[in-house]
């Protein structure tokens, strides 16, 4: 590690992601968690209650100077930026954080930069049902302006289902005819230091890294990310870009200025052979982490969620855990638990992580797991 804050530097972790706390501990950092509730294993003196930026600033006053404030979740991006500005800490400004979390501001900035993205409409456009269908076509996707993982989104296939105007707080988008994928990158000084492509084998359920794109496609995807970073004025951090591969080239979907979900950083760790959580914290502290030039293997994950209901039983767990390349099978629910509807990709009742030396072998294990693991829901009364 070159330059930057010394070992023992104080950092504020905004949100609850255990992997970030583990990485901070391994780096010997003085980590404080600012979150809505205190995570298990975090002492009370290391936790800042979620009582606003002013209260967090007062709680930190008089202690060691804060070297970095990092956002671990989508909801944490703006508060983390506001706390940075209140403390005078370097990092993403609040205005950039707003653009990176409000889909309306994001899409407008990307479109203004001339980048390809889905047709969209907002409540301010004043379009009625017919106007929305005429501009966007069918199907139409209604999305929350703020949020992640597709929570609160809906697909409208019939004109009769389209609202008579975009509801407040929502964004309407037209469909994109293409293959969805993502890019994860570590950025410093507006320049990508590390780039990973993720293959959405089954969008929302199965992801695999790295995605071995054809060289021309990989170059076009990387160029799109660079132009998006410039359009949104993102200068540093860990970014997650969702996009579509179309016949006309890559098309912008959304950008997240925080660690991705879906256990993607775990997959990057297994495939690329380094800890991306640690590398990200080092960058935020002004250090230069050691980063690999290429992935050495493949890694993938399958998420599980059988839908809403009461879980009666789970079959096939031993067979799934014994599949070739299986690294870990996590089942977070037990028979008798009440399962809520899956409203976004961030919701799961368990997941399987797989790693191996061949992409197709990893993909086959992930496919087989979907067949073998069976969740039984109790009949509705």
């Amino acid at each position: 590690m070159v330059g930057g804050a010394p070992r023992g530097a104080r950092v504020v972790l905004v949100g609850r992601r255990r992997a970030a706390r583990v990485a901070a501990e391994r780096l010997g950092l003085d980590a404080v968690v600012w979150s809505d509730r205190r995570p298990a294993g975090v002492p009370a003196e290391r936790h800042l209650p979620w009582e606003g930026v002013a209260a967090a600033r007062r709680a930190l006053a008089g202690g060691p100077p804060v070297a970095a404030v990092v956002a671990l979740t989508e909801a944490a991006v703006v508060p983390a930026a506001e706390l940075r500005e209140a403390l005078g800490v370097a990092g993403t400004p609040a205005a950039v954080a707003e653009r990176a979390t409000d889909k309306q501001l994001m899409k407008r900035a990307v479109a203004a930069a001339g980048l390809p993205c889905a047709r969209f409409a907002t409540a301010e456009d004043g379009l009625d049902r017919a106007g929305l269908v005429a501009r966007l076509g069918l199907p139409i996707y209604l999305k929350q302006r703020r949020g992640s993982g597709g929570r609160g989104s809906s697909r409208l296939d019939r004109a009769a289902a389209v609202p008579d105007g975009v509801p407040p707080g929502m964004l309407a988008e037209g469909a994109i005819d293409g293959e969805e994928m993502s890019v994860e990158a570590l950025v410093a000084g507006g320049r990508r230091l590390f780039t990973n492509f993720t293959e959405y084998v089954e969008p929302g359920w199965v992801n695999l890294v790295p995605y071995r794109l054809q060289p021309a496609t990989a170059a076009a995807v990387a160029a799109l990310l660079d132009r998006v970073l410039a359009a949104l004025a993102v200068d540093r951090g860990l970014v997650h870009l969702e996009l579509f591969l179309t016949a006309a080239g890559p098309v912008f979907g959304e950008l997240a200025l925080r660690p991705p979900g879906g256990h993607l950083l775990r997959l990057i760790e297994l495939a690329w052979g380094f800890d991306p959580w640690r590398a990200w914290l080092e960058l935020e502290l002004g250090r230069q982490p050691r980063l690999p030039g290429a992935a050495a293997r493949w890694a993938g994950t399958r998420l599980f969620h059988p839908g809403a209901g009461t879980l009666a039983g789970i079959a096939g767990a031993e067979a799934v855990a014994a599949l070739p390349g299986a690294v870990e099978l996590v089942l977070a629910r037990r028979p008798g638990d009440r399962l809520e509807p899956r409203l976004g990709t961030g919701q799961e009742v368990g997941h399987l992580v797989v790693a191996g030396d061949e992409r197709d072998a990893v993909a086959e294990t992930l496919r087989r797991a979907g067949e073998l693991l069976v969740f039984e829901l109790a009949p509705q009364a």
Side-chain angles (χ1 to χ4, degrees):
M1 294 172 288
V2 180
R7 186 177 180 85
R10 168 160 282 201
V11 298
V12 179
L13 306 177
V14 189
R16 293 180 287 110
R17 300 284 289 271
R18 183 177 179 276
R21 301 197 305 273
V22 171
E25 181 179 345
R26 288 174 177 170
L27 284 168
L29 301 176
D30 176 12
V32 176
V33 177
W34 183 29
S35 63
D36 55 348
R37 64 179 185 270
R38 180 159 58 96
V42 174
E45 64 272 15
R46 294 285 180 183
H47 180 249
L48 297 179
W50 197 253
E51 298 173 349
V53 172
R57 181 185 182 186
R58 288 194 298 270
L60 293 165
V66 174
V69 179
V70 294
L72 306 182
T73 65
E74 184 73 9
V77 174
V78 171
E82 292 175 343
L83 182 58
R84 282 189 212 101
E85 293 187 350
L87 296 173
V89 174
T92 300
V96 174
E98 284 285 347
R99 278 196 298 275
T101 53
D102 184 327
K103 294 179 180 64
Q104 177 172 308
L105 299 179
M106 184 189 304
K107 299 282 184 174
R108 284 180 173 172
V110 168
L115 302 182
C117 67
R119 302 180 306 278
F120 65 93
T122 72
E124 298 168 8
D125 292 324
L127 296 174
D128 61 9
R129 178 182 294 112
L132 287 171
V133 173
R135 175 184 290 190
L136 305 178
L138 289 172
I140 288 175
Y141 293 88
L142 276 183
K143 300 180 176 181
Q144 299 280 355
R145 283 179 58 176
R146 295 184 181 275
S148 62
R151 183 181 290 270
S153 298
S154 57
R155 171 177 166 147
L156 311 175
D157 292 292
R158 298 178 298 107
V162 177
D164 198 27
V166 180
M170 303 288 287
L171 185 80
E173 284 189 0
I176 300 174
D177 184 13
E179 176 193 348
E180 190 175 5
M181 62 164 291
S182 71
V183 186
E184 292 70 46
L186 290 168
V187 179
R191 184 170 62 91
R192 287 180 293 109
L193 305 184
F194 168 80
T195 307
N196 171 77
F197 298 144
T198 295
E199 180 180 0
Y200 289 2
V201 180
E202 296 177 29
W205 297 101
V206 179
N207 299 322
L208 193 149
V209 304
Y211 193 178
R212 295 296 196 198
L213 298 171
Q214 291 297 317
T217 302
V221 168
L224 176 64
L225 175 55
D226 289 341
R227 295 181 66 191
V228 169
L229 295 176
L232 299 178
V234 173
D235 182 70
R236 66 190 292 176
L238 172 59
V239 300
H240 169 69
L241 171 68
E242 295 183 337
L243 62 126
F244 296 84
L245 300 177
T246 75
V251 175
F252 174 80
E254 296 176 8
L255 181 88
L257 188 52
R258 42 79 184 166
H263 311 284
L264 289 188
L265 294 193
R266 174 65 169 141
L267 302 188
I268 290 172
E269 178 182 15
L270 289 170
W272 290 80
F274 80 110
D275 183 354
W277 290 98
R278 177 175 179 141
W280 173 46
L281 290 177
E282 289 174 340
L283 280 182
E284 292 292 351
L285 289 167
R287 303 175 182 175
Q288 178 61 56
R290 295 185 179 91
L291 299 169
R297 59 206 309 236
W298 280 264
T301 187
R302 174 178 282 279
L303 308 181
F304 299 102
H305 196 301
T310 299
L311 185 60
I314 304 174
E318 290 186 2
V320 169
L323 285 171
V327 174
E328 60 188 26
L329 173 64
V330 175
L331 297 175
R333 297 291 186 272
R334 297 179 179 179
D337 287 351
R338 176 68 187 174
L339 307 182
E340 298 300 321
R342 193 181 195 231
L343 303 178
T345 57
Q347 292 174 277
E348 63 173 73
V349 300
H351 65 272
L352 172 71
V353 174
V354 179
D357 295 331
E358 296 182 1
R359 181 261 176 212
D360 290 349
V362 170
E364 175 61 15
T365 291
L366 294 170
R367 186 193 67 79
R368 287 284 294 140
E371 296 176 339
L372 292 171
L373 194 65
V374 178
F375 294 84
E376 180 185 354
L377 298 180
Q380 300 231 350

